[in-house]
Amino acid sequence: MNSQSTISDGREKNTYFVTPNHIIKNLSLDKNYCLFLDIDGTLAAFQINPEHSFIPNTTLEIIKKIIQLNIPVIAVTGRDVDTASKLLHPVKAPIAGLHGLDIYFDSDKYIRPDLSQINFKKLKKDIIKSCERYPELLIEDKGYSIALHYRKNPDLENHAINIMQDINSDYPQLKLNKGKFVIELIPNQADKGKAIEIILNHLDLPSILPIFIGDDLTDESGFAFINQQSGLTIKVGSGETQAKYRLKDIDNVANFLSLFQNRIKSLYVKNSQNQNGEKLCLN
């Protein structure tokens, strides 16, 4: 089986990538769609310093066009809401930040658990003190979670994990989230699958077919929930996963989104012709 073959079971340890067009051809024609998109590793390429991450302008333009077709697009990311909003600019979309902990719909609608009992300032100080011997470890304060990156030196993985595990014992309200070259302490409520469920209930759209694209371990709960809803799940890159399909990299994700936008646009035009006998102009 070559690198462009389909996968029969998303949980396979081997990686078999599909082309974006293969997924598009399998889309149902009688559904309303909703897109859930991770950011880092899905829309934005991996960077040694996460502050250097960006979403290509071409990808942002495609997402804008999808939204203009009345397709809900929601970012589901480990980033905090403010940082995710800056990465998505000028696209305005709901954001489930901090792995679904902090859900932002608009300026008047937030869904956020009460985290007042957690002393995040002390947590950060504890992590800084424990990392003094390892200057290559990067500490990222997300407000309601602290991430420890070992991107600069992957050999420090075990040290980073041990540091966070030791600190976690003093903070039972927090759990460890492991991602690509990062280990994070985050409130127990954080879960991308639960966040997606909350957002779908909030949108309350009939016959919705949700699509979720992600690349990391923290996306697996989202894949599991979307699969239960008979939705479409897409893993970016290698690694064991519950997703039904795999795309190779962020370029393939951008290509998929472009093909998806064109497919939805053509359906709108066809429906307009059928209903009105004339072509609908969509920019």
Side-chain angles (χ1 to χ4, degrees), residues 27 43 62 64 72-74 77 99 114 116 118 129 133 183 199 217 232 243 256 258 272 281:
L27 291 182
L43 300 179
I62 294 168
K64 282 176 61 178
V73 177
I74 299 95
T77 173
H99 307 291
D114 179 12
S116 58
I118 305 174
K129 184 177 180 180
R133 294 174 53 195
I183 185 78
I199 293 167
L217 290 173
L232 186 65
F256 169 81
S258 179
S272 176
C281 180

Side-chain angles (χ1 to χ4, degrees), residues 117-127 146 163-176 185-188:
Q117 76 278 16
I118 305 174
N119 190 339
F120 287 100
K121 289 184 178 180
K122 183 179 183 300
L123 172 65
K124 185 177 181 180
K125 289 181 180 179
D126 290 345
I127 295 174
I146 306 289
I163 286 170
M164 297 296 262
Q165 284 179 337
D166 288 343
I167 293 174
N168 192 193
S169 63
D170 294 327
Y171 296 86
Q173 313 96 325
L174 303 177
K175 65 180 179 180
L176 287 171
L185 277 170
I186 191 165
N188 295 322

Side-chain angles (χ1 to χ4, degrees), residues 21 35-36 41 56 59 74 97 102 108 113 120 128 168 189 196-197 209 215-216 229 231 237 247 249 258 260 267 276:
N21 193 53
L35 279 177
F36 293 93
T59 302
I74 299 95
D102 199 13
D108 297 323
F120 287 100
I128 291 174
N168 192 193
Q189 302 95 317
I196 291 172
E197 181 178 10
L209 195 153
D215 75 301
D216 213 342
Q229 309 305 307
L247 291 175
D249 50 31
S258 179
F260 176 81
L267 289 176
N276 303 322

Side-chain angles (χ1 to χ4, degrees), residues 78-132:
R79 299 279 190 158
D80 63 272
V81 168
D82 288 342
T83 302
S85 179
K86 292 174 183 176
L87 286 168
L88 288 165
H89 182 79
V91 173
K92 294 183 179 180
I95 299 169
L98 301 179
H99 307 291
L101 181 74
D102 199 13
I103 303 176
Y104 167 85
F105 290 101
D106 55 48
S107 58
D108 297 323
K109 182 66 174 177
Y110 264 97
I111 298 178
R112 176 182 294 159
D114 179 12
L115 304 173
S116 58
Q117 76 278 16
I118 305 174
N119 190 339
F120 287 100
K121 289 184 178 180
K122 183 179 183 300
L123 172 65
K124 185 177 181 180
K125 289 181 180 179
D126 290 345
I127 295 174
I128 291 174
K129 184 177 180 180
S130 297
C131 292
E132 288 176 348

